[in-house]
Amino acid sequence: MSTSTGTHCPYCALQCGMTLTPLPPAGARVGPRDFPVNEGALCQKGWTAAALLDTPDRLTHPLVRRRRDEPLRPATWPEALDLIAGRLRELRERHGPDAVAVFGGGGLTNEKAYLLGKFARVALRTSQIDYNGRFCMSSAAAAGIRAFGLDRGLPFPVTDLREAETVMLVGANVAETMPPFVRHLRRARDHGGLVVVDPRRTATAELASLHLAPRPGTDLALALGMLHAAVAGGHLRHDYVGARTGGFAEAWRVAARWRPEEAERVTGVAGAGQRAAVELLAGARNAYVLTGRGTEQHSNGVDTVSGWINLALALGLPGRTGSGYGCLTGQGNGQGGREHGQKADQLPGYRRLDDEAARRHVASVWGVAPEELPGPGRSAYELLDALGTSTGPRALLLFGSNPVVSAPHAAHVTRRLAALDLLVVADVVPSETALLADVVLPVTQWAEEEGTMTNLEGRVLLRRRAVPPPEGVRGDLTVLRELAVRLGQPAERFPDDPEEVFAELALASRGGAADYSGLSHRRLRAGETPHWPCPEPGHPGTPRLFLDGFAHPDRRARFTPVEHRGPAESPDAVYPLVATTGRTLAHYQSGAQTRRVAELVRAAPAPYVEVHPDTARRAGLADGDLARVVSRRGAVEAEVRCAPGIRPDTVFVPFHFPGAGRANLISNPALDPVSGMPEFKACAVRLTPARESSAREIPAHEEGS
C-alpha cells in the first residue's frame, strides 16, 4: 500500500495542508489534511494539483540550441551546463560581471531563493538580480517597513480573523484567489461587518455587507476620505495614537482636505458609504484592514498602502490582539521569497544590501570579503527592460518565472528577452518563456523535492517530498551547485542538500528582521510550524508581532503623509476606459501550471474581458462576442463577458493566458518610485469588436517600442 505524505499545496501563499499518495506507476492523489489555515479544505486548484506531476509535456531532459534560428534539441546535462558556463565566462570577460543577470520567483522555496541570491553575488559577482515577487508584494512591503519598521504580510495568524466582527478587504478577491481563507471571515460576515473595496462586484464582494467600488487608481483618495471620516466622526483613538505612534499631525494635514464628499468626487464612492465603512471598523471589538494586489499594483502603490495603514493606525488596530493591519501575500513563497536575498537590494534575513554591518555578517557566513559583494541592482521591470541593450545584461538565468506572460508591457519584454546573447530557463514545463531560451533545464517540482516555504502569516513550514522526480530531472539547488563549480567556486560553498542549505540560511539570517536562526528541518519534520522571528532553537516562534511595540527604534509606528495622485495614464477620447487585471478561480499566475490541468481548463478555457452591459452595447458588442481591448502598448483579444457588477468605466482582463490573450500586452510599466511596482491595475484602453481592422489599433510609433 502506498504511503501518504503530509505536505502543502503548490499554489498560493495560504499554503494549505494536504496529503499526497503515490499512484504507481505514475501520478498521485491529493487528500485533505487538517492544517490551521485551511482546516482540511482545498480549492479546485489544490484538489487537482497532482495532475501537474504527470503532465504530458513535462520537461525531462535539457534542451539547447547554438543559434536562435535553430530549434531546441535534447542534450545531456554535462553538455548543457558546460555550454552555459562557457558562455557566462565569455560574456563576463568581455562585458564585466553585470553582463549576466538572474531572475527568480516567489514560488521558489526558501532554500532556492537563498542559494540563488548567493550564486548571483558570489559565483557571478553580479548586482543584476531580482525576482517576480517585485510584481506582487513590493509596495505593501515598503509601506509596512516605513510604518512598522518590519514587513511580514500578516503579523498575526490567519486564525485570529475568526473572532473579527469587521474585516475590510481592499483590492483582494479571496473567494477566488484563496477560497479556504473565506472560512475565517464567517464571524465578520454574520456580524454584517465584511467590507470589500473593489471596482468589480467580485465573488468576494457578493459575500460582503458593504461593497465600495472606486474608480481604478483612486484608492488613496478613498483612504484619505475614510481617514477624514474617522477623525471628524470622533473615532480617532487619541490614547493609542499618542502612546504608540508618531507623525499623525503631518498625515492629518493632508487628510483634513479630503472630506468624504471630496473623495467621492474622485473615486465615485458615496460619502455615506465611506462613513458606513469607518463606523463598522470603529464600532467593532475586533477589526482588521487587509490589502491585496488591487490596491497595491499601482505607480503610487506604496503611498496607497500607507493611506490604508494610516486609517488602521488612527483606529488603533495594529499591534493589538484581535485587531490589526495586514497584506495578503499572493505567491506560494511570496513571504519567504522576499526575505533571503533574491531581491535586488537585499541580503538574507531581510537585511539591506547597502548596510555595512549586514554585508559583514553575510560575507562571513559565505566565506568571502564584504567588499567582494556587489551593491544593489535594477528592480525587476528595470532589469527586464535593460536586457540586451548597450548598458544592460547580455545573459539571463531565469528560475521559477514566466515573464513573457506575467511581465507588464509583455510584447516589449519578449523583444528584450530575444535580444539577449544567452537566455537560460529552469522550469518544469515548456513555458512561453522557456520556448525562447537557448538552454532549458528540467527541474523538480513541489512534490518531488523537500524544501521550506513561509506562508502569508510568516509561518515557516516544510513541504515534503512525496514522489520521486522523473528520470533526467535535477533540483534547482543541484543546478546552481554545478554551475558554481564550473565557474570556479569550491563545491562546499554551494551545497545542494535542502537541509544543509537551510541550516546556512538560518545562520545567515541570525540577527536580521526575518530571523530563522532557531529553525531547522528537524524541527519542521517533527510537525512544528513556527512563525518568524525565531531567534534560537528553543524559541516557540512569534505568531503575533508588535504587541509590545513596533520595530522602529522608538517602538512607535509611523503615520505617513501621503498625497493622492491618479494613475500614470488617464482615460481620454481615444482610450476612454480603464483596464484592470487579476486572477480567476481556476487559474494561477501566468497559467503555466494550471493551463495543463484538464479540469481547470474546462472551468476556464480561454481569456475573457469582463464588461458592463452598457459599455459593451456602446462598443457594438454582446455577451460572447470576440473583442479587442486596446491600450497605447498593444491589444488583447478576448471573449466578452457582460457583468452588471463592474463599473461602466472599467474592464477586467485575467492575466493567466498566453498569445493574443495576454493581459499584459496592454498593461502599463509605469513604476512606483519607492518599490519599483508596475501599474498593472490601471491603464487607459478602448474596446472594439475584434472583427474591426486592427491596422489603426496601435499607433505605429508605439507598436515597436
Side-chain angles (χ1 to χ4, degrees):
M1 178 180 288
S2 297
T3 302
S4 295
T5 300
T7 187
H8 295 270
C9 181
Y11 294 117
C12 81
L14 205 55
Q15 282 299 286
C16 294
M18 60 167 56
T19 63
L20 204 62
T21 305
L23 296 176
R29 180 181 67 250
V30 168
R33 181 165 77 94
D34 191 31
F35 192 69
V37 300
N38 64 307
E39 299 173 326
L42 293 171
C43 71
Q44 188 179 21
K45 292 187 290 290
W47 284 118
T48 59
L52 295 169
L53 299 174
D54 57 357
T55 185
D57 62 346
R58 176 70 188 273
L59 294 170
T60 57
H61 49 254
L63 303 172
V64 303
R65 58 180 147 210
R66 300 280 175 172
R67 290 172 23 186
R68 284 285 167 83
D69 58 356
E70 295 177 348
L72 288 162
R73 61 169 178 83
T76 65
W77 273 100
E79 179 188 1
L81 294 170
D82 288 346
L83 172 61
I84 296 167
R87 297 291 299 278
L88 293 179
R89 280 195 299 268
E90 176 188 331
L91 290 167
R92 291 168 67 211
E93 289 169 3
R94 187 183 306 170
H95 302 289
D98 280 355
V100 179
V102 177
F103 200 84
L108 300 178
T109 64
N110 290 317
E111 292 83 356
K112 294 178 186 180
Y114 169 81
L115 205 67
L116 192 64
K118 180 181 179 181
F119 174 81
R121 296 185 173 99
V122 175
L124 295 176
R125 300 282 181 89
T126 182
S127 68
Q128 301 300 293
I129 175 172
D130 210 57
Y131 79 125
N132 65 15
R134 177 78 65 172
F135 300 155
C136 269
M137 300 305 306
S138 58
S139 287
I145 289 169
R146 73 182 182 186
F148 308 124
L150 183 148
D151 157 52
R152 196 180 86 189
L154 296 184
F156 46 81
V158 167
T159 50
D160 282 4
L161 295 170
R162 295 172 184 164
E163 302 304 316
E165 294 177 351
T166 298
V167 176
M168 184 168 74
L169 295 166
V170 186
N173 181 18
V174 292
E176 293 193 77
T177 59
M178 48 178 67
F181 183 92
V182 175
R183 66 199 307 106
H184 302 293
L185 305 176
R186 286 173 181 159
R187 187 160 192 256
R189 288 176 59 195
D190 294 344
H191 197 266
L194 183 59
V195 181
V196 171
V197 179
D198 198 301
R200 303 167 57 220
R201 185 77 179 172
T202 62
T204 309
E206 290 286 351
L207 302 175
S209 55
L210 180 60
H211 174 210
L212 309 180
R215 295 185 182 96
T218 66
D219 285 21
L220 180 49
L222 181 61
L224 289 164
M226 291 176 66
L227 178 57
H228 190 290
V231 175
H235 301 302
L236 179 67
R237 286 286 302 272
H238 291 277
D239 54 344
Y240 174 96
V241 169
R244 302 200 61 188
T245 75
F248 172 74
E250 293 80 1
W252 174 242
R253 271 196 285 273
V254 178
R257 304 194 302 270
W258 284 90
R259 295 179 64 252
E261 285 68 30
E262 175 63 18
E264 178 180 351
R265 185 184 63 79
V266 174
T267 66
V269 175
Q274 298 174 51
R275 292 186 176 93
V278 169
E279 293 285 343
L280 286 169
L281 288 165
R285 189 173 46 172
N286 297 321
Y288 293 85
V289 175
L290 305 178
T291 61
R293 304 302 80 72
T295 202
E296 298 161 8
Q297 288 180 321
H298 294 274
S299 59
N300 66 341
V302 177
D303 283 352
T304 299
V305 176
S306 291
W308 296 116
I309 292 175
N310 287 348
L311 175 63
L313 289 171
L315 296 173
L317 305 182
R320 181 159 66 87
T321 301
S323 294
Y325 161 80
C327 67
L328 299 172
T329 303
Q331 293 193 74
N333 200 31
Q335 182 66 54
R338 66 182 187 264
E339 297 168 357
H340 296 299
Q342 64 174 332
K343 198 161 166 276
D345 56 357
Q346 188 190 79
L347 288 171
Y350 224 136
R351 288 180 164 92
R352 291 183 57 88
L353 186 53
D354 58 5
D355 180 286
E356 290 303 321
R359 293 171 66 87
R360 287 194 299 273
H361 171 75
V362 174
S364 70
V365 174
W366 288 351
V368 299
E371 58 271 18
E372 294 178 14
L373 299 178
R378 296 175 171 95
S379 69
Y381 182 77
E382 293 170 316
L383 176 57
L384 295 173
D385 184 47
L387 296 176
T389 66
S390 60
T391 58
R394 305 298 310 175
L396 178 68
L397 279 64
L398 190 147
F399 292 77
S401 189
N402 187 18
V404 166
V405 176
S406 64
H409 201 356
H412 172 69
V413 168
T414 302
R415 289 190 288 270
R416 297 271 42 87
L417 290 165
L420 287 165
D421 293 332
L422 176 67
L423 174 60
V424 178
V425 174
D427 213 329
V428 174
V429 294
S431 70
E432 288 71 24
T433 306
L435 294 176
L436 294 179
D438 301 288
V439 182
V440 181
L441 301 176
V443 292
T444 51
Q445 58 173 312
W446 64 291
E448 302 161 355
E449 59 187 6
E450 196 143 307
T452 62
M453 309 288 280
T454 305
N455 79 346
L456 78 173
E457 54 185 356
R459 187 191 298 267
V460 185
L461 47 89
L462 185 64
R463 211 156 64 180
R464 307 288 296 273
R465 173 173 162 152
V467 297
E471 186 178 352
V473 171
R474 296 187 181 182
D476 298 84
L477 300 179
T478 300
V479 169
L480 293 172
R481 174 190 175 95
E482 292 289 333
L483 286 174
V485 169
R486 282 168 168 79
L487 293 171
Q489 291 292 311
E492 61 272 16
R493 184 171 282 165
F494 286 88
D496 64 354
D497 175 70
E499 186 165 4
E500 188 177 348
V501 175
F502 188 85
E504 184 181 301
L505 177 159
L507 182 62
S509 75
R510 178 176 293 167
D515 190 334
Y516 285 38
S517 60
L519 298 175
S520 65
H521 274 221
R522 183 177 180 180
R523 281 187 71 175
L524 302 178
R525 270 197 301 270
E528 293 186 62
T529 56
H531 300 72
W532 68 258
C534 188
E536 56 190 42
H539 194 284
T542 313
R544 296 170 186 84
L545 295 170
F546 311 139
L547 298 183
D548 299 322
F550 296 97
H552 288 298
D554 62 3
R555 311 295 285 166
R556 290 173 175 261
R558 306 277 194 270
F559 282 89
T560 303
V562 284
E563 297 274 4
H564 170 70
R565 58 180 175 83
E569 256 179 18
S570 297
D572 56 23
V574 179
Y575 302 98
L577 302 171
V578 178
T580 191
T581 66
R583 282 167 53 186
T584 65
L585 176 62
H587 289 297
Y588 178 72
Q589 301 303 91
S590 75
Q593 296 162 295
T594 52
R595 285 186 277 110
R596 287 171 164 83
V597 177
E599 183 177 325
L600 300 179
V601 171
R602 286 194 296 270
Y608 63 88
V609 53
E610 186 176 290
V611 189
H612 192 279
D614 294 344
T615 306
R617 194 177 306 114
R618 284 194 295 271
L621 291 161
D623 202 61
D625 287 351
L626 190 64
R628 285 172 66 84
V629 185
V630 186
S631 79
R632 291 175 173 86
R633 288 156 297 281
V636 176
E637 290 193 358
E639 183 179 289
V640 171
R641 184 175 294 182
C642 289
I646 192 170
R647 291 180 57 94
D649 56 6
T650 301
V651 300
F652 168 80
V653 186
F655 56 61
H656 311 293
F657 298 96
R662 282 180 290 171
N664 284 312
L665 290 169
I666 62 174
S667 58
N668 192 348
L671 302 182
D672 184 290
V674 177
S675 67
M677 171 72 80
E679 191 147 67
F680 288 102
K681 289 296 189 276
C683 71
V685 299
R686 65 174 175 265
L687 185 68
T688 67
R691 64 179 178 271
E692 289 188 5
S693 169
S694 61
R696 63 178 183 82
E697 293 294 274
I698 309 166
H701 72 283
E702 292 166 348
E703 187 173 24
S705 64

